[in-house]
Amino acid sequence: MLTTSTIDRDSFRDAMSRFAAAVHLVTTDGPAGQRGLTVSSACSVSDSPATLLVCLNMSSPENDRFEANGNFAVNLVAAADEPVARAFAGEGRLAPQERFATAEWDTLQTGAPVLTSALASFDCRLIEASVVATHRVLIGEVVAVRTNPRAASLVYLDRAYRHL
């Protein structure tokens, strides 16, 4: 892909910080091992068939596990689970097992960990992965969904967590 953007990284990041974004925990498990991280870059692609898109930074080799496992879950984080989101974002420098120990988990269909307290969880079978600039873009077909009672959402805006 040929790009010709002349926008500097800091200006772009500053402008993007003004986007309010839902906070998600994206998780996987399988032969390549368990992995989870906090992201704000997740969105719906289609409702027929139900399809989601997630972007993962390629700076972490552990993120290769998502593609190797062929599954992922997108867990929409409630405001009450802000400490869990912070742990999965790397605060406290917890080991992966310690991060998962901060919450309760379940599985639906693919084996990807599903946060039991998530506002909504989307269990996805990976159908496409591609590299765009610094990120791996994962597209997954949603094979199972679970919702919980409505509660305050956790959002990220101006480089800070906020409750909505």
Side-chain angles (χ1 to χ4, degrees):
M1 174 191 304
L2 179 62
T3 62
T4 58
S5 178
T6 58
I7 304 299
D8 72 275
R9 180 178 183 257
D10 291 337
S11 295
F12 179 75
R13 289 174 63 107
D14 182 56
M16 289 301 298
S17 75
R18 297 169 192 201
F19 276 55
V23 177
H24 305 88
L25 295 181
V26 180
T27 57
T28 188
D29 202 0
Q34 195 175 58
R35 175 78 172 145
L37 60 149
T38 302
V39 303
S40 57
S41 56
C43 66
S44 168
V45 173
S46 176
D47 65 358
S48 186
T51 311
L52 292 180
L53 175 148
V54 176
C55 298
L56 305 177
N57 196 305
M58 292 185 44
S59 65
S60 175
E62 288 91 4
N63 288 346
D64 293 345
R65 294 178 185 174
F66 288 88
E67 192 169 354
N69 286 336
N71 67 43
F72 61 92
V74 176
N75 299 280
L76 181 58
V77 181
D81 283 326
E82 181 178 335
V84 180
R86 288 179 177 279
F88 277 79
E91 288 187 20
R93 301 191 184 271
L94 298 176
Q97 313 87 300
E98 294 174 306
R99 292 177 185 189
F100 278 96
T102 64
E104 290 185 33
W105 302 90
D106 198 359
T107 58
L108 297 178
Q109 188 172 331
T110 69
V114 172
L115 181 65
T116 59
S117 57
L119 296 174
S121 295
F122 304 86
D123 190 16
C124 300
R125 177 181 60 83
L126 181 66
I127 58 173
E128 187 174 332
S130 60
V131 173
V132 178
T134 58
H135 284 66
R136 176 173 285 118
V137 179
L138 304 179
I139 298 176
E141 179 182 15
V142 180
V143 296
V145 175
R146 179 166 59 200
T147 58
N148 283 316
R150 294 185 186 271
S153 295
L154 186 63
V155 296
Y156 198 70
L157 173 66
D158 288 329
R159 296 182 176 99
Y161 290 106
R162 302 178 190 274
H163 300 183
L164 179 65

